[in-house]
Amino acid sequence: MTTPDHQSPEPRPTAKDVIYRSPLALVAGVLLLALACWLGFDALVRGHGRTPWLALATLILAVPLVVAFTLRPAVFSGEDRLRVRNPFRSVTLPWGEVASLRSGYTNEVVANSGDKYQLWAVPVSLRARKKAARRQARADAAARGGKSGGFGLGGALGDHDGPTRAESDQIIDDLRATVERRGPAKTAQGEVTVRWAYEVIAPAVAGAVLLAVLLAVG
C-alpha cells in the first residue's frame, strides 16, 4: 500500500545510510547552473525593455528543473528502509515492502503492491555493461587457460583487470542483498510513502506561468 505524504518534511540521511548518486549528473548540473546564472544575471543587469523580465522568468523556470534532474536524484540505502529521491518526488520503502529490484534499460524498484519507482540516481550505461562483459569473458578465458596449463593473451597483458560488473548493476546487486538481509526484520516493515517535491515544482510552475504571460503580452 502506498501512502501519499504531502506535508511532512523530507527525511534527512543518517550516518549509516549508503548514498548512491550519479557523478556525471552532479558535474553536469553544476556546469548548467553556472552557465544559466552567468547568462541570466548578465541579461538582468545589461538587458533593456522586457529582456530582464524574460531572463528572470527563464531563471525561475530553468534553475529548479536543472536541480531536479541533476543534483536532486539520490538513492539512500538505510538499515530499515530504502529512500528513492527522484526529480519531483521522494519514495520511502521499508525493506519488507520491496518485492524486487529490476535492471534493464532503466533501474527500478518494485513494491509489494506492484507499484514501480525508477531509480534516477542509478542510470544504466549499456556501454559500461559491454565493457564489463568483455572483461568477464577475458577473465574466464584466462582462468580456463591457467587450468589447462596454457598462458593466454589475456593473462599476459592483464586485459581482464577491472570490474566485471557495470557499476549500476553492482549497485542493484548490493541493494538486492540488503533486501534479502533486512527484509524480514521487524523494524523494516511498514507502508510505502510518497512525498512530492513542491519546493521544486512550485517555482518551476511559477516561472513557466510568468514566461508564458510575458510572451503572450509581448
Side-chain angles (χ1 to χ4, degrees), residues 111-134:
N112 289 335
S113 62
D115 294 330
K116 302 175 184 178
Y117 306 101
Q118 187 175 347
L119 306 182
W120 281 77
V122 189
V124 170
S125 172
L126 298 180
R127 181 180 180 184
R129 279 183 178 173
K130 291 179 180 179
K131 282 186 176 180
R134 287 196 296 267

Side-chain angles (χ1 to χ4, degrees), residues 136-146 152:
Q136 183 63 58
R138 285 193 288 264
D140 292 342
R144 288 193 298 269

Side-chain angles (χ1 to χ4, degrees), residues 3-216:
T3 302
D5 184 3
H6 300 298
Q7 297 181 353
S8 60
E10 186 171 339
R12 293 185 177 181
T14 66
K16 295 182 179 180
D17 287 353
V18 179
I19 304 175
Y20 301 101
R21 309 185 78 167
S22 171
L24 290 178
L26 295 176
V27 172
V30 171
L31 293 177
L32 286 174
L33 287 176
L35 179 62
C37 291
W38 174 44
L39 296 177
F41 284 113
D42 183 70
L44 286 172
V45 174
R46 301 183 181 183
H48 302 283
R50 292 192 313 142
T51 300
W53 288 102
L54 289 172
L56 178 62
T58 302
L59 282 175
I60 296 174
L61 170 62
V63 170
L65 293 180
V66 171
V67 171
F69 285 98
T70 59
L71 304 184
R72 176 179 163 80
V75 172
F76 304 88
S77 175
E79 190 68 14
D80 296 324
R81 57 189 48 82
L82 173 71
R83 186 159 64 90
V84 180
R85 193 171 70 189
N86 285 339
F88 299 115
R89 65 178 178 176
S90 295
V91 183
T92 302
L93 304 97
W95 290 117
E97 285 295 314
V98 176
S100 64
L101 286 133
R102 298 177 181 175
S103 182
Y105 290 105
T106 62
N107 292 315
E108 60 185 16
V109 56
V110 183
N112 289 335
S113 62
D115 294 330
K116 302 175 184 178
Y117 306 101
Q118 187 175 347
L119 306 182
W120 281 77
V122 189
V124 170
S125 172
L126 298 180
R127 181 180 180 184
R129 279 183 178 173
K130 291 179 180 179
K131 282 186 176 180
R134 287 196 296 267
R135 292 193 192 101
Q136 183 63 58
R138 285 193 288 264
D140 292 342
R144 288 193 298 269
K147 289 181 180 179
S148 62
F151 190 72
L153 181 60
L157 298 180
D159 287 344
H160 61 274
D161 291 344
T164 56
R165 290 283 283 168
E167 183 179 5
S168 62
D169 292 336
Q170 184 60 55
I171 291 173
I172 295 298
D173 290 345
D174 294 341
L175 294 177
R176 286 172 180 159
T178 305
V179 172
E180 294 180 2
R181 178 174 58 88
R182 293 296 302 165
K186 292 183 178 180
T187 55
Q189 310 304 315
E191 294 184 344
V192 178
T193 58
V194 177
R195 177 188 178 275
W196 290 95
Y198 292 112
E199 66 275 11
V200 172
I201 297 172
V205 171
V209 171
L210 178 58
L211 184 60
V213 170
L214 290 172
L215 294 175

